[in-house]
Amino acid sequence: MINSILGIKKGQTQQFTPEGVRIPATQVQAGPCIVVQVKTPEKNSYQAIQLGLGVKKEKRISKPVLGHLKKAGQRLPRFLREVRLEGGEEAINLKPGDEIGVGDLFQPGDIINVTGISKGKGFAGVVKRWGFAG
């Protein structure tokens, strides 16, 4: 069963409960994701799908990745991630080029976990990182 989708953080906002309590919230633009490759236990020894999100210029993609994407016959996604699958019947129904949206996986009121990758900022000295005086 597919339990993941790719998304891009769009910003921060806040919501208020009827009692007036502020709840911080993150705005995420999730999907639609395109299935780029379907990995099967017979060929790859595990079951997974490769998802793509966004659009990237062709000149910004390396030749090996470009060949992989053109073999799948897809638009060129900005992000590529692999998602392992649990059940065998769902992977059979998917093929390269299928779109997966938020409505296909989640219903209103579902509780989800969000995992992100932070931007690397390199080494930061104490003045830059903590605001110490020089």
Side-chain angles (χ1 to χ4, degrees):
M1 177 177 161
I2 301 171
N3 58 2
S4 300
I5 194 167
L6 302 179
I8 299 171
K9 179 179 176 179
K10 288 298 183 181
Q12 292 287 121
T13 186
Q14 58 189 1
Q15 301 290 323
F16 291 94
T17 64
E19 295 81 31
V21 178
R22 182 181 64 90
I23 300 172
T26 303
Q27 296 173 340
V28 177
Q29 177 188 350
C33 294
I34 295 179
V35 177
V36 176
Q37 182 182 17
V38 178
K39 298 193 175 192
T40 60
E42 296 81 29
K43 188 173 183 181
N44 304 99
S45 72
Y46 66 97
Q47 190 169 8
I49 58 171
Q50 192 176 46
L51 296 175
L53 176 69
V55 179
K56 196 173 189 181
K57 290 182 181 179
E58 185 173 336
K59 70 177 189 174
R60 303 230 183 252
I61 299 176
S62 67
K63 297 250 179 169
V65 175
L66 188 62
H68 172 68
L69 295 173
K70 289 217 175 184
K71 185 178 3 175
Q74 302 303 312
R75 67 177 190 225
L76 307 173
R78 182 175 173 197
F79 301 106
L80 277 178
R81 297 293 184 270
E82 191 170 288
V83 177
R84 292 251 180 162
L85 298 178
E86 307 288 324
E89 68 282 345
E90 196 160 346
I92 296 169
N93 298 336
L94 293 173
K95 58 187 179 303
D98 289 348
E99 280 197 5
I100 300 174
V102 176
D104 300 334
L105 302 177
F106 306 113
Q107 302 299 322
D110 285 352
I111 296 175
I112 60 170
N113 291 331
V114 177
T115 304
I117 300 172
S118 64
K119 290 194 237 177
K121 301 205 173 30
F123 175 79
V126 294
V127 174
K128 180 178 175 186
R129 185 171 184 185
W130 303 106
F132 289 2

